[in-house]
């Protein structure tokens, strides 16, 4: 299949971003990805180019508004617009509030909320001028219900969802749409690049299986396919399972009860004040049982460029 359409994916070097890039290549789109880590980005570009089609990759820090604008301008030097623009870059931090430091919340908000806004500032005028365009902003079920031991992550994801909802309303009638992407836990291998603080091994022991087991997480390839379809359809929000829909309604109808239930669950989670460590490092000290429970997630990581140590772009 061949088209003249193109997609920008901020955070397309691994995880869900890479899976969505593959989906768009399969639909015949030219794919333009960015990420922070050059080596990781090059591995993703090689993977995508092997599948055929047009692929470009550029090192960009989405926390830098000027860098995002420069990426868009370099990709579309004639002032035109992409058909689709997605902000998927993000970071997962797992640990109790006692272990959270200001720099950690800054990293989450700067990457997942401000980074999405910077991309929107760069592309919305172009899409308005073209009278068409599809925008997708990655939030999460954590942007619907704030979960203990994921507070900086939820802060940023609530902001991303608010940005997406506001843009969808403000762009009404222009031919441009914005979709808030609010998936449940997905099996993409992201637990290996999550940051675990407090008691890292204990935090990994509950989070990594939840991101790996079939009944607890959605297969990343399936999620990417459903999300791409929803963004192209111009939907205001996509799940892509009933769980976020149910969570939104339960949270809205029984806010106090829901927070109380989460509080009870939070009391069972580990406490500590150790600084954050990457999941790839924590896994080396995980028990045999935990490794067994995360086998599917680890296998997925080998398919999504998540099984390499780097200090680069923390795509989800």
């Amino acid at each position: 299949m061949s088209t003249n359409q193109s997609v920008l994916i901020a955070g397309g070097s691994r995880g869900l971003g890479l899976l969505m890039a593959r989906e768009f290549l399969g639909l015949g789109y030219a794919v333009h990805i960015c990420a922070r880590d050059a080596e990781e980005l090059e591995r993703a570009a090689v993977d995508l180019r092997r599948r055929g089609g047009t692929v470009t990759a550029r090192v960009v820090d989405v926390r830098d508004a000027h860098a995002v604008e420069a990426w868009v301008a370099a990709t579309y030097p004639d002032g035109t617009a992409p058909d689709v623009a997605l902000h998927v870059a993000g970071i997962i931090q797992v640990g109790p509030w006692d272990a959270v430091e200001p720099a950690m919340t800054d990293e989450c908000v700067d990457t997942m909320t401000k980074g999405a806004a910077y991309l929107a500032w760069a592309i919305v005028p172009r899409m308005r001028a073209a009278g068409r365009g599809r925008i997708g902003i990655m939030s999460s079920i954590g942007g619907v219900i704030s979960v203990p031991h994921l507070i900086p992550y939820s802060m940023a994801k609530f902001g991303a969802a608010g940005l997406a909802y506001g843009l969808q309303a403000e762009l009404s009638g222009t031919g441009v749409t914005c979709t808030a992407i609010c998936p449940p836990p997905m099996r993409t291998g992201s637990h290996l690049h999550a940051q675990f603080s407090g008691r890292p091994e204990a935090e990994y022991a509950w989070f990594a299986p939840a991101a790996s087991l079939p009944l607890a997480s959605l297969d990343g390839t399936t999620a990417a396919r459903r999300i791409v379809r929803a963004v192209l359809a111009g939907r205001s929000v996509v799940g892509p399972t009933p769980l976020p829909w149910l969570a939104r309604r339960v949270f809205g109808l029984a806010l106090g009860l829901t927070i109380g239930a989460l509080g009870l669950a939070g009391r069972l989670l580990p406490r500590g004040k150790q600084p954050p460590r990457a999941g790839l490092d924590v896994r080396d000290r995980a028990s045999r049982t935990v490794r067994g429970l995360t086998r599917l997630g680890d296998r997925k990581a080998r398919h999504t460029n998540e099984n390499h140590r780097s200090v680069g772009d923390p795509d989800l």
Side-chain angles (χ1 to χ4, degrees), residues 113-149:
T113 307
K114 290 184 178 180
Y118 297 155
L119 181 61
W121 273 317
I123 56 132
V124 165
R126 292 168 176 260
M127 287 185 170
R128 275 185 181 272
R132 56 166 180 77
R134 297 286 183 262
I135 302 169
I137 294 177
M138 181 60 60
S139 181
S140 166
I141 193 171
V144 176
I145 296 179
S146 190
V147 180
H149 289 225

Side-chain angles (χ1 to χ4, degrees), residues 113-193:
T113 307
K114 290 184 178 180
Y118 297 155
L119 181 61
W121 273 317
I123 56 132
V124 165
R126 292 168 176 260
M127 287 185 170
R128 275 185 181 272
R132 56 166 180 77
R134 297 286 183 262
I135 302 169
I137 294 177
M138 181 60 60
S139 181
S140 166
I141 193 171
V144 176
I145 296 179
S146 190
V147 180
H149 289 225
L150 286 163
I151 292 178
Y153 176 82
S154 284
M155 286 170 56
K157 291 301 190 182
F158 267 81
L163 171 63
Y165 297 146
L167 282 176
Q168 176 73 331
E170 189 160 326
L171 293 170
S172 177
T174 66
V176 183
T177 62
C178 185
T179 301
I181 305 167
C182 301
M186 294 174 292
R187 198 159 55 256
T188 65
S190 61
H191 62 288
L192 296 181
H193 276 269

Side-chain angles (χ1 to χ4, degrees), residues 6-277:
S6 66
V7 58
L8 285 172
I9 304 178
S13 63
R14 56 182 165 88
L16 183 65
L18 179 57
L19 290 172
M20 293 171 75
R22 292 171 182 164
E23 287 294 321
F24 275 104
L25 272 182
L27 294 173
Y29 281 67
V31 173
H32 309 289
I33 63 173
C34 79
R36 274 191 265 177
D37 188 279
E39 292 183 4
E40 184 177 277
L41 190 63
E42 180 57 26
R43 286 194 301 268
V46 169
D47 171 277
L48 293 171
R49 287 170 183 147
R50 284 174 179 165
R51 299 167 188 270
T54 300
V55 177
T56 69
R58 182 182 175 110
V59 175
V60 178
D61 186 341
V62 298
R63 300 171 298 181
D64 183 338
H66 298 294
V68 174
E69 174 62 43
W71 173 46
V72 174
T75 307
Y76 299 91
D78 55 358
T80 58
D83 296 278
V84 185
L86 302 171
H87 186 276
V88 191
I91 184 167
I92 302 173
Q93 296 174 351
V94 186
W97 182 252
D98 289 346
V100 173
E101 298 180 354
M104 295 166 66
T105 60
D106 289 345
E107 185 173 17
C108 280
V109 172
D110 290 350
T111 300
M112 295 184 281
T113 307
K114 290 184 178 180
Y118 297 155
L119 181 61
W121 273 317
I123 56 132
V124 165
R126 292 168 176 260
M127 287 185 170
R128 275 185 181 272
R132 56 166 180 77
R134 297 286 183 262
I135 302 169
I137 294 177
M138 181 60 60
S139 181
S140 166
I141 193 171
V144 176
I145 296 179
S146 190
V147 180
H149 289 225
L150 286 163
I151 292 178
Y153 176 82
S154 284
M155 286 170 56
K157 291 301 190 182
F158 267 81
L163 171 63
Y165 297 146
L167 282 176
Q168 176 73 331
E170 189 160 326
L171 293 170
S172 177
T174 66
V176 183
T177 62
C178 185
T179 301
I181 305 167
C182 301
M186 294 174 292
R187 198 159 55 256
T188 65
S190 61
H191 62 288
L192 296 181
H193 276 269
Q195 298 289 318
F196 297 90
S197 59
R199 289 172 53 199
E201 288 81 9
E203 298 287 352
Y204 183 89
W206 73 264
F207 181 87
S212 301
L213 294 172
L215 293 179
S217 62
L218 176 65
D219 175 69
T221 302
T222 300
R225 186 175 303 117
R226 293 177 183 175
I227 290 167
V228 167
R229 290 174 181 171
V231 170
L232 292 178
R235 290 174 52 185
S236 296
V237 62
V238 53
T241 71
L243 183 59
W245 177 90
L246 179 62
R248 187 176 291 108
R249 277 146 185 80
V250 170
F251 198 55
L253 293 173
L255 176 60
L257 182 63
T258 304
I259 293 176
L262 289 171
L264 291 175
R267 295 180 190 180
L268 302 176
L269 297 176
R271 298 288 174 182
K273 292 188 177 181
Q274 295 179 38
R277 290 165 52 200

